[in-house]
Amino acid sequence: MDDIKKVMLPAAIVLLALLIYASTFIVKQYETAIKLRLGEIVGSDYDPGLHLKVPLLNNILTFDARIQTLDSRPERFLTIEKKDVIVDSFTKWRISNAAQFFRSTGGDSARTARLLSERINTSLRDEFGKRTIQEVVSEERLALMKELTKQIDAQATELGVDVVDVRVKKIDLPPEVSESVYNRMRAERERVARDLRAKGSEAAERIRADADRQRTVIIADAYKEAEETRGQGDAKAAEVYANAYTADPEFFAFYRSLNAYQASLGAGDSTLVLAPDSDFFKFFGDMHGASSETAAPAEPPQASAPMPMPGFSSRMR
């Protein structure tokens, strides 16, 4: 009897452990689960931890409850301007109702991605059809993504999932549209460049004309000031000369005649034809410039003719 107990006790413990194992299931922290009884859902959205089930009668399905990413392939949409754009987007979603998720998709991730993509493309087509290209690439893009998230989340409720965020990664133009847009942008930039060059040339001409005007004014003012200064200097010189010449008129006349001799007879090849008794030569006979009629007879008639002044080699006849 003791031998039977020794054999049966371990077996009973093993059977009890197997029964407990078959009667319980564990939901992990990042999972959600549903309980099926002969294919019918009898429980869902279990909290993380240990839960009970009826062995062989209940079946447990677990799903990943973490946020997942649906990276859609680029699609072509029309804007309100009837221009094609190629939109590349992605969606963040997670399971919110495990039972509804199982009824709608059968727990198939590929089917879930296809159903979500259909709703996302429909919403993108509607929203892009209300906006221009300028609006979808400007700051209104953020408002567009918020509106898309709101719409798709409302539509995804029937799938048992929550759409956390919808983001447009890139918006491209088709090659045929890109070329026309590029040409238009280039023409616009060239027009702006021409306008800027024209304005620059106008400003340059205006600055150059103003500089020329200032230059003319400055030169005129300087010439006026120089002439005034020169006139004042000439007046002062004339006054000094007049005062000096008035002090000794005879010396003034002698000095003026010497200057006239130097200016007229300075060049070696100069020739003057004048009468011997001309006033021009009055200082050649007498240092006082007196004529022969009025001069006292200080010399006998045999006196030789006066010698020419040194330094003059001109011929006179």
Side-chain angles (χ1 to χ4, degrees):
M1 191 67 179
D2 293 337
D3 294 338
I4 295 175
K5 288 182 179 181
K6 290 180 181 180
V7 174
M8 293 298 295
L9 184 59
I13 294 174
V14 171
L15 289 176
L16 181 60
L18 292 174
L19 180 62
I20 294 174
Y21 178 77
S23 301
T24 59
F25 64 94
I26 299 175
V27 178
K28 297 179 182 178
Q29 186 70 31
Y30 56 87
E31 291 180 335
T32 184
I34 60 172
K35 183 191 293 184
L36 301 176
R37 184 175 59 194
L38 302 177
E40 180 183 0
I41 299 175
V42 295
S44 64
D45 298 326
Y46 289 96
D47 295 330
L50 183 65
H51 302 276
L52 299 176
K53 67 176 182 177
V54 178
L56 303 178
L57 186 62
N58 293 133
N59 186 26
I60 305 300
L61 294 179
T62 59
F63 307 104
D64 193 341
R66 293 174 292 187
I67 295 177
Q68 302 184 50
T69 301
L70 172 61
D71 196 355
S72 303
R73 62 185 181 87
E75 294 287 344
R76 180 175 294 201
F77 302 108
L78 280 175
T79 64
I80 195 173
E81 305 164 308
K82 305 303 179 183
K83 298 290 183 65
D84 286 337
V85 290
I86 300 175
V87 181
D88 189 4
S89 63
F90 68 91
T91 305
K92 295 289 186 180
W93 64 277
R94 63 185 172 191
I95 299 173
S96 60
N97 189 327
Q100 183 64 28
F101 176 74
F102 180 74
R103 295 189 189 99
S104 302
T105 65
D108 187 0
S109 299
R111 185 179 179 186
T112 303
R114 179 174 57 82
L115 293 174
L116 275 177
S117 295
E118 291 175 356
R119 288 163 172 77
I120 293 169
N121 289 340
T122 301
S123 297
L124 284 172
R125 186 173 294 106
D126 293 341
E127 292 300 322
F128 273 81
K130 301 176 185 177
R131 292 171 170 82
T132 64
I133 294 179
Q134 181 67 27
E135 291 173 345
V136 298
V137 299
S138 63
E139 294 181 356
E140 294 188 16
R141 184 173 174 179
L142 296 175
L144 169 64
M145 290 186 290
K146 289 181 180 178
E147 184 65 23
L148 284 172
T149 302
K150 182 178 178 181
Q151 291 183 9
I152 298 172
D153 184 46
Q155 297 175 13
T157 303
E158 62 186 13
L159 301 179
V161 301
D162 284 337
V163 175
V164 178
D165 194 12
V166 177
R167 291 286 169 176
V168 176
K169 293 191 294 185
K170 186 170 61 174
I171 299 177
D172 287 331
L173 296 173
E176 62 274 11
V177 179
S178 298
E179 185 66 23
S180 62
V181 172
Y182 171 74
N183 292 333
R184 186 166 63 251
M185 292 175 61
R186 182 173 59 185
E188 177 66 18
R189 294 299 96 190
E190 289 177 352
R191 184 190 65 79
V192 173
R194 287 194 298 270
D195 291 342
L196 292 176
R197 291 192 190 99
K199 292 179 181 178
S201 299
E202 179 184 358
E205 290 297 329
R206 187 168 58 250
I207 294 172
R208 191 177 293 110
D210 184 66
D212 291 341
R213 182 188 62 80
Q214 293 183 17
R215 172 179 173 272
T216 303
V217 171
I218 292 173
I219 292 176
D221 292 342
Y223 181 77
K224 174 184 176 183
E225 184 177 355
E227 290 299 316
E228 290 177 352
T229 304
R230 186 178 293 108
Q232 294 174 0
D234 291 343
K236 186 67 176 176
E239 180 182 358
V240 173
Y241 283 133
N243 294 332
Y245 297 152
T246 304
D248 192 348
E250 294 182 359
F251 177 77
F252 171 67
F254 178 72
Y255 179 74
R256 290 288 299 274
S257 297
L258 290 180
N259 288 336
Y261 296 154
Q262 183 179 5
S264 302
L265 306 175
D269 58 349
S270 298
T271 301
L272 293 177
V273 180
L274 296 172
D277 57 351
S278 172
D279 288 340
F280 187 74
F281 298 111
K282 64 181 179 179
F283 287 103
F284 276 72
D286 189 349
M287 64 175 295
H288 298 286
S291 61
S292 58
E293 291 81 2
T294 59
E299 297 180 356
Q302 297 86 353
S304 61
M307 296 295 292
M309 296 182 66
F312 298 99
S313 61
S314 300
R315 294 179 290 113
M316 295 179 291
R317 60 172 187 254

